[in-house]
Amino acid sequence: QKEVEQNSGPLSVPEGAIASLNCTYSDRGSQSFFWYRQYSGKSPELIMSIYSNGDKEDGRFTAQLNKASQYVSLLIRDSQPSDSATYLCASGPGGYQKVTFGTGTKLQVIP
Amino acid sequence: GAVVSQHPSWVICKSGTSVKIECRSLDFQATTMFWYRQFPKQSLMLMATSNEGSKATYEQGVEKDKFLINHASLTLSTLTVTSAHPEDSSFYICSARDQEGAAFFGQGTRLTVV
């Protein structure tokens, strides 16, 4: 059973702080990793993808991948109340095959 | 990123009737699309993989005769919930992948069966 594990939260951070979201995956064959943001009542939207070990930065977001530890993280700098949402981690073999989603971590940014 | 459009965004139907949900890839051709269901405060649950020109692949526990999937073209997949009952009320979301595996989701359809 391929699994992606996330702490359900809620993770509460003050506005302006760094939010750190973590994810582990069980399938060592995974090649593609994604972070999605889902607001309540809405469908998920892709915010970051990462395919190789190390860090990938995009604006206030940084994704980190460590394949040896089977660990993916997402850092959100200068957190804003609008970042309050559920963040889903996903991994997959790449290509058009299905990915496996974690259950999501709820983030609350306190003004 | 890729654009996936889903319609309708919400629907209310009577118990025993059928509801069709459409999922379109607007700027790319999707040979494979995925249908998910999400109950309140729960994670996404993959229902089935829709394959263009062939039968859908259903996940374990999903009734293929109740959730009919048709993927007749490279840009359109439909999910029909047949003989809907209140327990089928949920948020249904379709997605398509790009060649790197990133999933792009439709807006979702909130189904309420009364």
Side-chain angles (χ1 to χ4, degrees):
Chain A
Q1 182 79 3
K2 299 174 184 177
E3 294 184 345
V4 175
E5 303 282 346
Q6 294 181 256
N7 188 313
S8 62
L11 171 67
S12 294
V13 300
E15 183 175 356
I18 296 175
S20 178
L21 304 164
N22 305 312
C23 170
T24 60
Y25 60 96
S26 64
D27 184 8
R28 285 197 172 274
S30 295
Q31 299 294 324
S32 304
F33 305 87
F34 310 96
W35 282 98
Y36 291 84
R37 177 175 60 198
Q38 185 176 24
Y39 292 112
S40 180
K42 302 294 185 182
S43 62
E45 57 178 320
L46 178 68
I47 54 174
M48 287 287 286
S49 59
I50 186 166
Y51 307 100
S52 56
N53 280 326
D55 295 359
K56 179 181 178 182
E57 186 174 319
D58 183 359
R60 296 187 295 114
F61 299 99
T62 299
Q64 299 174 317
L65 173 61
N66 184 323
K67 289 187 176 180
S69 301
Q70 296 178 244
Y71 178 88
V72 190
S73 66
L74 179 70
L75 301 177
I76 306 175
R77 290 181 298 281
D78 188 24
S79 295
Q80 301 297 309
S82 58
D83 294 327
S84 298
T86 296
Y87 288 80
L88 303 170
C89 173
S91 70
Y96 296 102
Q97 299 184 60
K98 63 184 179 183
V99 299
T100 301
F101 283 87
T103 54
T105 298
K106 185 173 183 178
L107 173 66
Q108 295 177 338
V109 180
I110 312 300
Chain B
V3 180
V4 178
S5 178
Q6 189 173 340
H7 177 82
S9 57
W10 61 271
V11 59
I12 301 173
C13 71
K14 291 185 177 181
S15 185
T17 61
S18 296
V19 173
K20 179 186 284 189
I21 303 169
E22 292 186 348
C23 180
R24 295 181 184 273
S25 55
L26 298 186
D27 56 354
F28 68 105
Q29 294 182 328
T31 56
T32 303
M33 291 186 179
F34 301 87
W35 287 95
Y36 294 85
R37 180 168 54 182
Q38 187 176 38
F39 292 106
K41 299 184 179 180
Q42 294 189 21
S43 62
L44 293 169
M45 187 194 81
L46 179 65
M47 299 175 66
T49 302
S50 171
N51 305 298
E52 188 268 334
S54 64
K55 292 182 180 180
T57 304
Y58 290 82
E59 296 299 304
Q60 191 173 7
V62 178
E63 300 173 59
K64 62 180 182 181
D65 294 329
K66 181 170 185 62
F67 299 100
L68 301 179
I69 291 174
N70 184 278
H71 195 153
S73 78
L74 288 171
T75 58
L76 174 64
S77 175
T78 61
L79 168 68
T80 301
V81 183
T82 63
S83 186
H85 291 282
E87 57 266 30
D88 298 324
S89 298
S90 187
F91 191 46
Y92 292 86
I93 316 172
C94 70
S95 81
R97 304 251 187 280
D98 67 8
Q99 61 185 7
E100 292 176 324
F104 295 90
F105 290 88
Q107 302 94 319
T109 298
R110 187 159 305 283
L111 170 64
T112 303
V113 184
V114 297

